[in-house]
Amino acid sequence: MAEKNMSLKKCPMPSLDPNYRNKVFEEVATGYTYDMAIEEARRCLHCKNKPCVSKCPVQIDIPEFIAKLANEDIEGAFEVINRSSSLPAVCGRVCPQETQCESKCVRGIKGEPVGIGRLERFVADWHREHATEKPTAPASNGHKVAIIGAGPAGLTCAGDLARMGYKVTVYEALHVAGGVLSYGIPEFRLPKAIVNKEVGNLKAMGVDIETDMVIGKVLTIDELFEMGNEAVFIGSGAGLPRFMGIPGESLKGVYSANEFLTRINLMKAYRDGSKTPIRHGKKVAVVGGGNVAMDAARCAKRLGADEVYIVYRRSMNELPARAEEVEHAQEEGIIFKTLTNPVEVLAFNNPDDPRDPRNGEVCGMKCVEMELGEPDASGRRRPIVKEGSEFVLDIDTMIMAIGTSPNPLIRSTTPGLEANKHGCIVTQGEDGLTSREGVYAGGDAVTGAATVILAMGAGKNAAAAIDEYIKSK
Amino acid sequence: MFKIVKKQPLNPTVTKMVIEAPLVARKAKAGQFIILRASEDGERIPLTIAGYDREAGTVDIIFQIVGGTTMELNALNEGDFLPDFVGPLGRPSEVEGFKKVAVVGGGVGCAIALPVAQALHANGCEVHSVVGFRCKDLVILEDEFNACSAKVCMMTDDGTYGTKGLVTNALDELIKAGNEYDEVIAIGPVIMMKFVCQLTKKYNIKTVISMNPIMIDGTGMCGGCRLTVGGETKFACVDGPDFDGHLVDFDEAMKRGAMYRDFEQHKRDEFCNLLNKEA
């Protein structure tokens, strides 16, 4: 085995210059070089009890793949990852490794943990660029399964079932597969060519992906069973955007983050000549502090905004976004207005001309300052309004990124499918079985908005449970 | 891919297309809509279903050429294919249990009002149709309305056909003449629906309108189609497109509808230039 690298720090991730990248949609983090990857892989101590694996929702054998990488067997490393993950190039880019695998890394006790995510990305990218063998369809076991939603949960479930020999059809409502990977996460964080390639691999394994199919409308779950499917997995996500319920939310220039990001990522509104319109705001406020808020803010900046604010009611310490995303946003010039909460969106109004096209456009946001009180149910300190702190933020575009709820289309058209008061589908335990026999669910449709990797973990567990269910019939 | 089986201009600015989409046709109901793209890099636009044939597996759409995408759509011909045609979306109109209903259609909105009128008629309801157009040249679907209505009031803004005046004038007269409607259904430009609702509110007649706002996915994901109904935020794609017209904030809807007017004008001009070049 090659010599260990005992550096306390991770090999830094090369990335584009902030002042260049905040005007373009090219991928920000450019990825490790071969030498960087081997060096970083040699920081791994190959702990026998593998604490990192316990925090991976899809249970990748991390020390094993890193050992292969350290020995420059990159294809071997890919095979290890590929056993457990259908979307390695995606996870290596968007997983919150700092709270998962890397949080348990022994190297992290006295220094920085091994850059597991960066290594996963390197291995997946290397495989994509160098591998000559195409994935092939395994021998059929003669059983059919339908999957609703081609996002991270559905694609993972599809990949695992296809590997076991199931004939899998994935139904997707939009015109392309990928779910949030396609419509939500921007090109500069996750190039769409990578998503397409990973979807292509699933197709090569025999998975059918039917786009333009809104299940619950064009076909019901009962009809999917009539068509010969023996089980159904629901991975329809948490697409329904929340609004704050403050005055002015429907003015011209107020977007949900979903709409803003979908126009940009799915419909390519950022490209010259795009047929889908988007507003190029000069002063943009994004309300919320999660990864979606960071994505929206960084997109707004790239569309040419002079000032982009993240408006968040708690402090920098409570931001739910990944630390790396917050850092990237700051580097790109996003202004953080924390401990601030909007109370009203203000409209332009020309009193002399009711037909002035600017009437009804956003021209400001009335905000209050907040301070932090005692911790609330979520364990975070509750924000309280500071008396008399009202002020107006001068903006022309507002983007609401305060969360989403599960899509109602499936639960409202499937008799006997239980959902809780938040609209989340109720499942029994880890394997995703719903209140209907043979119907499984996972990802944001069950948990409410969460992460790509948790959805993938749920898809994986459900695939195993579906296999067991069909075999025991 | 979805084949254009038939294309028929209804007037200089309105075109009807029959699209081969068997799965959509199997489930479609009056009042629902579809989302299509006219080309692989095209915009997604919602269009209300204007008719369907379950046996032939086809769905009719009728659209007005207003922006880049509808112009692009109109440049396609019989035998061409649409890359995407998704539906049926939204809730169907309620058409059962009525004895007498006034259906009010304005302009291309008549294309959406017609299947509702036909469904009501098929359910044994007495339908009075009030249809309005800017002028004689823009009149569409007259025979079809005659076939499913006990009474048709044809109105034009300039008096070149039917009676000169607005649909609200005709509706007011029908109500004043003693017609007792269980419901009024109004489908057309937002401004027309607003004034129909003002009128029926006066008479306290329940009025249902159909919204056709800006939309991307049509499944409740983008929130672009939101409108205020009775003080609450609703999504036209999943909560509608039909709403109680007496509760809708029409002024807000009109402003939101104009959000991309400049862009559309620009795209339309761009597309015209492209056609000219090719010619």
Side-chain angles (χ1 to χ4, degrees):
Chain A
M1 170 104 31
E3 209 172 302
K4 287 267 170 284
N5 168 2
M6 292 311 290
S7 162
L8 291 180
K9 294 220 166 247
K10 279 183 196 178
C11 172
M13 178 59 123
S15 56
L16 299 177
D17 179 73
N19 278 322
Y20 166 77
R21 72 182 194 231
N22 65 11
K23 296 168 195 73
V24 297
F25 279 79
E26 285 165 45
E27 189 171 20
V28 166
T30 50
Y32 277 171
T33 61
Y34 189 90
D35 292 345
M36 286 173 178
I38 304 300
E39 269 304 293
E40 183 63 21
R42 289 179 180 164
R43 290 186 66 226
C44 177
L45 300 177
H46 308 292
C47 310
K48 284 278 171 299
N49 58 342
K50 304 181 180 182
C52 47
V53 179
S54 69
K55 289 288 274 182
C56 174
V58 296
Q59 301 279 298
I60 293 173
D61 193 330
I62 295 162
E64 193 188 344
F65 102 74
I66 296 182
K68 301 241 183 213
L69 181 56
N71 286 324
E72 305 194 39
D73 174 10
I74 301 169
E75 206 42 45
F78 179 79
E79 276 163 28
V80 174
I81 298 174
N82 196 39
R83 281 204 308 258
S84 312
S85 170
S86 301
L87 308 166
V90 172
C91 290
R93 286 173 166 80
V94 304
C95 264
Q97 291 99 4
E98 64 275 15
T99 60
Q100 297 182 342
C101 51
E102 293 181 17
S103 73
K104 290 286 173 191
C105 179
V106 170
R107 293 300 306 266
I109 298 169
K110 247 208 233 163
E112 288 183 347
V114 176
I116 300 170
R118 295 168 182 183
L119 294 179
E120 182 187 23
R121 167 180 166 170
F122 173 79
V123 170
D125 286 357
W126 193 92
H127 171 80
R128 192 177 62 251
E129 283 153 24
H130 294 89
T132 44
E133 265 181 61
K134 278 206 126 196
T136 49
S140 164
N141 68 7
H143 297 284
K144 271 174 73 180
V145 176
I147 291 180
I148 303 167
L155 292 178
T156 302
C157 191
D160 278 21
L161 288 168
R163 275 195 202 96
M164 296 181 228
Y166 287 90
K167 181 68 214 159
V168 181
T169 309
V170 183
Y171 295 97
E172 166 57 44
L174 292 173
H175 57 269
V176 291
V180 73
L181 309 175
S182 293
Y183 75 75
I185 303 176
E187 178 79 16
F188 57 81
R189 235 166 32 92
L190 178 62
K192 299 311 143 208
I194 288 170
V195 180
N196 294 342
K197 180 77 186 186
E198 305 232 36
V199 170
N201 287 343
L202 290 176
K203 287 186 184 163
M205 283 165 54
V207 173
D208 275 336
I209 299 184
E210 299 229 14
T211 52
D212 291 341
M213 295 288 280
V214 181
I215 301 302
K217 289 291 181 186
V218 70
L219 292 171
T220 61
I221 285 186
D222 291 314
E223 286 169 312
L224 293 177
F225 280 110
E226 285 163 24
M227 288 158 65
N229 292 293
E230 292 172 65
V232 173
F233 175 76
I234 306 170
S236 51
L240 208 71
R242 292 207 191 108
F243 290 89
M244 294 182 76
I246 59 174
E249 272 180 338
S250 291
L251 293 172
K252 283 192 279 182
V254 182
Y255 285 109
S256 74
N258 268 4
E259 180 183 1
F260 188 69
L261 290 172
T262 300
R263 284 179 184 275
I264 292 170
N265 301 322
L266 181 74
M267 307 310 296
K268 315 292 177 207
Y270 65 90
R271 290 188 188 156
D272 285 341
S274 170
K275 289 167 184 160
T276 296
I278 185 98
R279 192 179 172 92
H280 293 252
K282 284 291 161 204
K283 293 180 177 181
V284 182
V286 180
V287 181
N291 289 322
V292 174
M294 301 303 138
D295 284 345
R298 296 170 72 192
C299 282
K301 187 79 186 172
R302 282 163 172 76
L303 290 180
D306 299 324
E307 284 161 31
V308 181
Y309 303 97
I310 289 279
V311 177
Y312 179 58
R313 61 195 183 130
R314 291 183 163 99
S315 75
M316 288 303 283
N317 296 327
E318 286 82 21
L319 281 172
R322 290 182 64 194
E324 186 183 308
E325 303 309 326
V326 175
E327 252 166 61
H328 278 152
Q330 283 175 319
E331 286 168 8
E332 288 169 14
I334 309 298
I335 305 159
F336 283 72
K337 277 213 167 296
T338 52
L339 292 168
T340 304
N341 207 28
V343 290
E344 186 182 350
V345 197
L346 305 174
F348 180 86
N349 185 36
N350 180 349
D352 302 325
D353 182 6
R355 302 185 79 103
D356 188 325
R358 292 172 300 169
N359 287 346
E361 299 247 1
V362 174
C363 72
M365 192 167 87
K366 198 186 279 178
C367 300
V368 287
E369 289 176 19
M370 312 292 281
E371 53 196 357
L372 293 179
E374 294 300 308
D376 63 11
S378 73
R380 294 180 298 179
R381 293 173 67 192
R382 183 196 303 271
I384 305 163
V385 177
K386 259 197 223 172
E387 283 302 317
S389 63
E390 214 170 84
F391 70 100
V392 172
L393 190 63
D394 178 21
I395 57 162
D396 58 30
T397 303
M398 179 189 185
I399 301 165
M400 294 275 191
I402 54 166
T404 52
S405 318
N407 197 299
L409 275 184
I410 303 224
R411 62 170 194 268
S412 64
T413 54
T414 309
L417 188 70
E418 221 177 283
N420 69 17
K421 64 176 174 97
H422 303 294
C424 302
I425 296 171
V426 175
T427 58
Q428 305 162 11
E430 292 272 288
D431 66 2
L433 179 63
T434 67
S435 53
R436 284 274 307 261
E437 192 192 334
V439 179
Y440 295 74
D444 287 3
V446 171
T447 57
T451 61
V452 167
I453 188 69
L454 283 175
M456 288 178 59
K460 194 171 185 65
N461 291 341
I466 287 170
D467 179 48
E468 210 172 291
Y469 164 72
I470 292 178
K471 280 193 181 142
S472 69
K473 273 211 298 185
Chain B
M1 299 290 265
F2 302 85
K3 190 175 179 181
I4 300 168
V5 185
K6 198 169 163 225
K7 177 185 175 184
Q8 179 193 357
L10 297 186
N11 73 32
T13 64
V14 175
T15 302
K16 174 179 171 177
M17 279 182 179
V18 180
I19 311 293
E20 198 173 85
L23 289 175
V24 183
R26 211 160 61 88
K27 289 287 176 74
K29 287 191 172 147
Q32 290 187 296
F33 66 95
I34 57 92
I35 285 195
L36 64 77
R37 288 197 308 157
S39 65
E40 277 298 343
D41 63 344
E43 183 189 23
R44 294 170 66 96
I45 59 160
L47 289 173
T48 307
I49 292 169
Y52 49 83
D53 183 333
R54 296 203 206 284
E55 272 170 29
T58 57
V59 175
D60 305 346
I61 50 170
I62 295 178
F63 57 92
Q64 184 161 27
I65 303 150
V66 282
T69 300
T70 40
M71 186 155 276
E72 191 182 17
L73 181 60
N74 196 49
L76 297 175
N77 291 307
E78 285 175 13
D80 289 344
F81 289 86
L82 300 176
D84 303 285
F85 193 84
V86 191
L89 299 168
R91 295 165 180 269
S93 299
E94 284 173 27
V95 290
E96 277 167 31
F98 298 110
K99 287 197 187 70
K100 194 167 178 179
V101 169
V103 175
V104 183
V108 74
C110 291
I112 307 162
L114 177 67
V116 179
Q118 286 170 333
L120 286 165
H121 176 71
N123 286 337
C125 171
E126 182 180 341
V127 177
H128 290 184
S129 294
V130 180
V131 291
F133 301 92
R134 284 216 308 277
C135 63
K136 185 183 177 189
D137 289 345
L138 298 181
V139 172
I140 57 172
L141 304 171
E142 189 182 4
D143 294 343
E144 288 83 350
F145 273 104
N146 283 332
C148 65
S149 315
K151 191 189 275 283
V152 177
C153 301
M154 172 66 67
M155 309 297 290
T156 50
D157 292 357
D158 64 357
T160 46
Y161 196 62
T163 311
K164 182 178 161 127
L166 301 171
V167 289
T168 39
N169 305 137
L171 182 63
D172 201 9
E173 276 174 29
L174 286 171
I175 297 167
K176 279 188 181 140
N179 289 295
E180 288 186 8
Y181 298 116
D182 301 333
E183 184 173 281
V184 171
I185 297 173
I187 305 174
V190 180
I191 185 94
M192 180 207 92
M193 297 194 285
K194 175 184 168 176
F195 283 107
V196 169
C197 289
Q198 275 181 8
L199 175 74
T200 55
K201 181 118 203 192
K202 214 169 66 185
Y203 293 107
N204 206 17
I205 306 170
K206 188 186 171 202
T207 302
V208 171
I209 54 92
S210 173
M211 299 302 287
N212 188 17
I214 288 167
M215 201 178 275
I216 308 175
D217 62 294
T219 64
M221 198 261 287
C222 78
C225 67
R226 67 190 183 276
L227 65 160
T228 308
V229 182
E232 280 178 55
T233 296
K234 296 279 181 193
F235 293 172
C237 64
V238 286
D239 300 321
D242 289 2
F243 292 100
D244 180 340
H246 292 158
L247 300 178
V248 172
D249 183 340
F250 289 109
D251 292 338
E252 177 188 275
M254 271 186 272
K255 284 177 188 151
R256 283 185 67 78
M259 188 151 162
Y260 297 111
R261 189 167 283 164
D262 290 351
F263 180 93
E264 282 309 328
Q265 187 59 45
H266 179 72
K267 279 286 153 194
R268 189 190 154 109
D269 295 348
E270 217 174 66
F271 198 86
C272 288
N273 291 338
L274 200 70
L275 286 184
N276 290 341
K277 251 181 242 160
E278 278 170 3

